Amino acid sequence: MQNDLSHYKEILVKGIWRENPVAYQVLGICSALAVTVKMSTALVMSIALTLVAAFSGLIISSLRHLIPSNIRIIVELTVIASLVIVTDQILQAYLYDISKQLSIFVGLIITNCIILGRAEAFALANNPADSFVDGIANGLGYSMILMAVAFFRELLGSGQFFGISVIPQFVYDMGFQDMGIMVLAPGAFFIIGLLVWLKNSLPGGISHEKK
Amino acid sequence: MSDKKQSNRSFKNSRVYVVFFALAVALVFSVLITSAATMLKPLHQQNRILDKKTNLLEAANLLPENERLTPEKIQTIYDTHIREVHADPRGQILRQATGDSLQLYLIHTDQQVQGYIVPISTRGLWGKIHGYLAFEADGETVAGFSVYSHSETPGLGGEIESQWFQDNFKGKKILNAHNQLVSVSIAKGKSENLPENLQDHYVDGISGATLTGRYLSEGLEETLTQYEPVSIIFRQKKGSQTHLDTLLDE
């Protein structure tokens, strides 16, 4: 049992931190640029991606002995696409405003390299429970970066935190202005770049595995 | 053992198995998607109708700002201020739709007509743009504009749904000094850089979205030409307050 726990912990640490999908593998950048203007959209996107990653890992791993290897990518995509469509339908039903803001980006989870990458690299070779944990770990790793980027972009770009104004009026009166560039895509590029640099320069932040 | 593994692998890649497996996967997942879509459909429709109503109220500037609105609240404001009506080609306002009538919405407060809203449906760069253009009771001043569905590029043409762009329309005139219809168009760049006599008929454009602006301008002009008979009816009343029922029964 102890062994099991440390095994899952190992998978989690690897996905969230050591081999973080955004900061280390540089995957999923497209959506990280697009949905991080506000924290609320980033949060919903993070949850959606984490769920899709976890359940696609679980399903693909359960089917791994049955999937014919010459159509495996198509089967993986069928599983992922179906889960994404169901997620999108649920968002449209219960979080209509946010789903409108996320527009095409939820649908584009299908093409997010993190999900197919984990299916190919992990789920096909490991058991369902491990794959589920791996999906959660990578989803959380992605979410962590997304929320950090969204936090800085929303704070500096519109002076808000989850849509609540946090910069007091007197600061504006003293001549402070929201940084317009943070609302635009280049702002996300700068922040992601800085985060990747920060993460990889921390001790233990980068895997020094010999090729 | 290795023989068994070998045969298992070749069986897994045999044509019959691949076809069977692909069909089974397709069947299972299409059932999943279909049932999710069917079960959530009523909620989707509700959301869409509520979103339309919210946008109508937004165009008419009837939504209180900085307030969390519940669906019930929106429904109440809608019911007390908006009436869906139709207009025949001569501009006559009708209660019921007829074969060639146009749809429009009247804005009223205590049964006094305050203005009207014209639905906009035009092509954009990537798909249809749907929205509303509200007018004051004088039949020439734009009261507001809103977009509820579009497929323009987020960040570029998608800016048509942002607040600054929509606020831009308030107070613009669709008639020139000679009382001719000139519609309201999207400028290239800021409208304040245009000659003085044009500023009333242009709103600030979105940089990087020239084509969206052009199509929207064309669509607005086409729609307003269609609705011109209705606007003429309103202009003839010249600011006098009209009761909702009088307008409908005339």
Side-chain angles (χ1 to χ4, degrees):
Chain A
M1 195 62 210
Q2 188 59 43
N3 209 3
D4 253 20
L5 276 181
S6 66
H7 172 62
Y8 288 138
K9 203 177 138 210
E10 169 73 21
I11 299 178
L12 279 170
V13 170
K14 210 171 175 184
I16 296 174
W17 183 250
R18 267 214 317 275
E19 294 184 4
N20 184 291
V22 184
Y24 178 76
Q25 305 177 51
V26 199
L27 298 176
I29 295 294
C30 171
S31 56
L33 296 178
V35 301
T36 49
V37 177
K38 284 194 236 145
M39 290 189 80
S40 55
T41 49
L43 181 67
V44 174
M45 182 71 180
S46 301
I47 296 171
L49 186 124
T50 308
L51 289 177
V52 172
F55 284 100
S56 66
L58 181 71
I59 295 172
I60 291 166
S61 173
S62 321
L63 294 173
R64 71 188 188 281
H65 295 304
L66 298 172
I67 301 175
S69 56
N70 49 8
I71 59 163
R72 69 173 197 286
I73 302 262
I74 302 173
V75 173
E76 284 160 22
L77 276 178
T78 311
V79 175
I80 295 166
S82 309
L83 288 173
V84 169
I85 292 169
V86 171
T87 313
D88 191 33
Q89 294 281 327
I90 293 173
L91 284 181
Q92 279 186 35
Y94 296 103
L95 291 169
Y96 190 73
D97 283 345
I98 287 183
S99 92
K100 259 180 95 170
Q101 285 169 26
L102 287 170
S103 62
I104 54 171
F105 295 108
V106 169
L108 285 180
I109 294 179
I110 297 171
T111 58
N112 194 313
C113 331
I114 297 173
I115 311 242
L116 190 62
R118 288 334 282 173
E120 272 284 291
F122 199 93
L124 279 182
N126 289 280
N127 68 45
D130 284 5
S131 305
F132 186 78
V133 176
D134 180 68
I136 299 259
N138 277 276
L140 288 178
Y142 171 84
S143 310
M144 190 178 75
I145 302 290
L146 223 63
M147 294 311 287
V149 176
F151 172 76
F152 287 114
R153 286 184 77 186
E154 188 173 348
L155 184 70
L156 298 175
S158 26
Q160 293 177 331
F161 177 77
F162 274 107
I164 304 158
S165 297
V166 285
I167 295 185
Q169 190 57 44
F170 73 85
V171 181
Y172 286 107
D173 292 342
M174 279 168 11
F176 175 79
Q177 278 192 339
D178 290 333
M179 290 168 72
I181 197 169
M182 283 301 158
V183 182
L184 305 171
F189 261 118
F190 293 138
I191 303 239
I192 291 180
L194 288 171
L195 281 175
V196 170
W197 170 67
L198 176 71
K199 188 227 166 226
N200 291 344
S201 55
L202 287 177
I206 196 161
S207 302
H208 292 286
E209 281 167 22
K210 295 240 162 69
K211 291 259 162 79
Chain B
M1 184 64 202
S2 107
D3 247 21
K4 203 178 166 196
K5 221 174 185 177
Q6 199 76 48
S7 75
N8 186 26
R9 183 167 300 158
S10 69
F11 170 70
K12 250 171 68 176
N13 279 322
S14 71
R15 238 170 246 158
V16 179
Y17 180 77
V18 166
V19 169
F20 168 77
F21 187 84
L23 281 176
V25 166
L27 184 72
V28 169
F29 284 98
S30 47
V31 167
L32 178 77
I33 293 174
T34 317
S35 47
T38 322
M39 278 189 306
L40 296 170
K41 203 170 182 191
L43 277 170
H44 290 175
Q45 268 166 350
Q46 242 176 22
N47 284 336
R48 226 161 280 146
I49 292 167
L50 188 72
D51 192 51
K52 269 191 173 185
K53 287 180 177 171
T54 315
N55 267 278
L56 270 166
L57 293 175
E58 207 178 294
N61 302 311
L62 288 169
L63 283 184
E65 271 177 52
N66 300 324
E67 199 184 318
R68 202 89 190 108
L69 291 163
T70 59
E72 294 77 33
K73 182 97 190 275
I74 290 169
Q75 188 65 46
T76 326
I77 306 179
Y78 182 86
D79 289 341
T80 44
H81 288 291
I82 305 283
R83 172 79 67 87
E84 186 181 341
V85 290
H86 300 270
D88 71 10
R90 288 175 297 118
Q92 198 59 54
I93 312 268
L94 311 167
R95 282 172 201 275
Q96 294 295 326
T98 57
D100 52 357
S101 65
L102 300 164
Q103 192 187 31
L104 80 156
Y105 302 84
L106 295 176
I107 311 166
H108 61 96
T109 306
D110 298 330
Q111 306 292 307
Q112 299 294 321
V113 177
Q114 309 286 327
Y116 57 103
I117 306 171
V118 172
I120 305 289
S121 168
T122 169
R123 80 174 172 132
L125 181 56
W126 303 119
K128 279 266 185 184
I129 299 174
H130 296 282
Y132 296 107
L133 192 62
F135 288 95
E136 286 172 13
D138 64 4
E140 61 163 321
T141 311
V142 178
F145 173 73
S146 71
V147 170
Y148 66 87
S149 118
H150 69 84
S151 8
E152 304 307 291
T153 323
L156 297 173
E159 285 288 293
I160 52 170
E161 60 175 17
S162 65
Q163 201 61 44
W164 70 264
F165 182 72
Q166 303 194 354
D167 284 348
N168 220 321
F169 280 82
K170 285 176 193 163
K172 299 289 173 185
K173 307 274 185 195
I174 57 166
L175 290 185
N176 67 8
H178 312 290
N179 280 332
Q180 283 157 332
L181 178 71
V182 289
S183 177
V184 51
S185 309
I186 288 87
K188 264 188 110 171
K190 296 263 180 233
S191 65
E192 63 198 30
N193 298 335
L194 291 167
E196 192 118 0
N197 61 336
L198 289 178
Q199 285 185 13
D200 265 354
H201 316 299
Y202 279 87
V203 299
D204 294 351
I206 301 161
S207 54
T210 315
L211 284 175
T212 303
R214 188 189 300 162
Y215 294 140
L216 187 57
S217 302
E218 284 170 11
L220 288 174
E221 185 168 6
E222 200 178 303
T223 313
L224 292 181
T225 314
Q226 243 184 343
Y227 280 85
E228 182 62 1
V230 181
S231 302
I232 288 172
I233 298 267
F234 275 92
R235 272 172 226 150
Q236 282 162 356
K237 304 199 185 295
K238 268 275 174 253
S240 63
Q241 292 265 330
T242 320
H243 195 271
L244 193 61
D245 291 326
T246 356
L247 190 64
L248 282 168
D249 293 333
E250 263 171 25

